Amino acid sequence: MKSKILGIFAIAIALSASAFTVKTNKPLHKNTSYAWFKVSSGIAVGSATPKADAMYVDDSSTPPTESGCTANLSNQCISGFDDSQVNPTTHQLINDSQVAQTTPYTRNN
């Protein structure tokens, strides 16, 4: 009888100990990192960007700032592309048919 009581007591301790977990402070949303490019004038937002018109700036989860760029205008200025759209060795777009994933900064010309 004592061995059964000890076994039940051990199970009760194991269950109660496993019921508590340590809270981890993980961010709710992972910031997506993009390869940021400064795009030559005249390329409309949402259009394919020719690789000759896109100059690599940086890889980051936040877009770089550039003088002459603003928001809510018609043409690309700073555009972000994901890893599958960029050649990692040359830091150029893989071809002339890549459309930016995000365009936080634009311009009129």
Side-chain angles (χ1 to χ4, degrees):
M1 181 73 177
K2 283 186 178 183
S3 64
K4 288 184 180 180
I5 292 175
L6 288 176
I8 292 172
F9 185 66
I11 291 172
I13 290 175
L15 288 174
S16 64
S18 67
F20 299 101
T21 58
V22 177
K23 182 181 178 196
T24 59
N25 291 328
K26 292 182 182 178
L28 295 176
H29 300 285
K30 181 182 174 190
N31 289 337
T32 303
S33 183
Y34 292 106
W36 296 102
F37 286 81
K38 181 177 180 184
V39 180
S40 299
S41 62
I43 310 296
V45 173
S47 297
T49 305
K51 65 182 181 179
D53 294 329
M55 184 179 75
Y56 175 77
V57 178
D58 192 17
D59 282 317
S60 174
S61 59
T62 56
T65 56
E66 187 70 34
S67 65
C69 297
T70 187
N72 301 319
L73 299 176
S74 58
N75 293 321
Q76 298 179 49
C77 189
I78 297 292
S79 294
F81 296 84
D82 68 28
D83 291 341
S84 68
Q85 298 174 292
V86 179
N87 181 328
T89 328
T90 62
H91 293 294
Q92 291 182 332
L93 298 177
I94 58 172
N95 57 36
D96 292 336
S97 62
Q98 300 305 310
V99 177
Q101 299 296 309
T102 182
T103 305
Y105 297 116
T106 56
R107 62 176 153 222
N108 276 328
N109 56 4

